[in-house]
Amino acid sequence: MASVNIEHHHTIDLGEAKKRADKLIEDLSQKQKLDGSWKGMRYEFTATGVKRGSIALAEGRINVDIELTFLAAALKGAIEERLQSALRKNSPQGGGR
């Protein structure tokens, strides 16, 4: 099963990081409805093409982990690129890996 794992570093406090993660989720939901909820500082979701996913917040970083379905695996590169772009847009500095 293909997966996407991104660790994005930032310089904002957790409260602001959660606000920006909510904006990230809103932006991603514009094209792909995410069905999920927050559990502490972790947003767990599913969506078409996503078996399971999470956005986890910690001091200084955001981790995005997504397990793609078999059919969505062919789009892994495009999905990673879109997530990286959305993270850069919603975070004041840092980078993913």
Side-chain angles (χ1 to χ4, degrees):
M1 189 80 43
S3 63
V4 174
N5 308 99
I6 299 170
E7 182 175 287
H8 184 83
H9 297 272
H10 62 78
T11 58
I12 55 179
D13 64 52
L14 278 175
E16 182 63 22
K18 187 158 187 301
K19 288 179 191 174
R20 292 183 187 213
D22 283 333
K23 176 68 174 135
L24 171 67
I25 291 162
E26 182 182 315
D27 288 353
L28 294 173
S29 293
Q30 294 291 322
K31 293 186 178 180
Q32 179 74 19
K33 167 117 174 54
L34 303 180
D35 182 25
S37 63
W38 283 101
K39 294 180 173 100
M41 287 295 179
R42 182 183 186 92
Y43 183 79
E44 297 178 355
F45 64 92
T46 60
T48 302
V50 176
K51 186 172 182 179
R52 70 178 139 252
S54 68
I55 299 170
L57 306 178
E59 200 67 45
R61 71 178 188 275
I62 298 171
N63 292 315
V64 180
D65 294 304
I66 300 172
E67 186 177 336
L68 300 171
T69 63
F70 178 75
L71 293 175
L75 302 172
K76 179 182 175 181
I79 292 167
E80 284 178 318
E81 186 176 307
R82 183 166 171 231
L83 285 168
Q84 290 282 10
S85 175
L87 284 164
R88 282 190 300 272
K89 176 182 167 188
N90 288 291
S91 183
Q93 94 170 31
R97 66 176 172 98

